[in-house]
Amino acid sequence: QVELVESGGGLVQAGASLRLSCAASGRTISNYAMAWFRQGPGKEREFVAAISWSSLYADSVKGRFTISRDNAKNTVYLQMNSLKPEDTAVYYCASREYYRSSSNQYDYRYWGQGTQVTVSS
């Protein structure tokens, strides 16, 4: 059984940094594309970043966020710098069945429970 557990969210001021973690069990992340999505208050869930043999980013976070993984720890990270109030959202980790990044949430089969990130102005 695949389980994804996010952590690292919190309340920060604009301009600050946070690093989210997604610990996976039940599968080896190096064999599958992993991604981060987010859902802000009153908004639909949107793509943030994905990683496989290459990384993919939403335009809104490009240059500020970095996705990475530690295969030895079976963990994916999202380093978020220069945070803005519009980054406030629940951030979800996701895993798909193929080793190819995608920005489409319907391509991902497994999801974590989410971690809240709140950025104050």
Side-chain angles (χ1 to χ4, degrees):
Q1 179 156 342
V2 178
E3 186 176 18
L4 304 175
V5 179
E6 302 98 333
S7 61
L11 171 63
V12 296
Q13 291 189 329
S17 298
L18 275 177
R19 188 178 79 157
L20 305 183
S21 300
C22 171
S25 59
R27 69 170 30 184
T28 301
I29 64 169
S30 59
N31 296 333
Y32 302 95
M34 302 292 294
W36 289 94
F37 290 79
R38 67 185 182 187
Q39 187 167 15
K43 299 180 181 179
E44 295 186 352
R45 188 158 56 186
E46 64 176 2
F47 170 74
V48 176
I51 187 168
S52 54
W53 66 76
S54 62
S55 300
L56 191 64
Y57 293 95
D59 288 342
S60 59
V61 306
K62 203 171 293 183
R64 299 188 298 124
F65 291 11
T66 302
I67 188 170
S68 63
R69 64 179 177 224
D70 185 332
N71 293 335
K73 294 182 178 180
N74 216 36
T75 298
V76 177
Y77 302 98
L78 184 68
Q79 177 66 44
M80 306 186 295
N81 298 328
S82 302
L83 282 162
K84 305 175 181 180
E86 51 263 44
D87 294 319
T88 294
V90 177
Y91 283 71
Y92 298 91
C93 176
S95 177
R96 67 177 306 199
E97 295 292 76
Y98 304 100
Y99 192 65
R100 182 171 184 172
S101 297
S102 170
S103 61
N104 186 339
Q105 61 178 309
Y106 298 106
D107 286 340
Y108 292 84
R109 179 176 181 180
Y110 298 103
W111 293 83
Q113 82 290 348
T115 186
Q116 177 70 48
V117 172
T118 303
V119 184
S120 63
S121 57

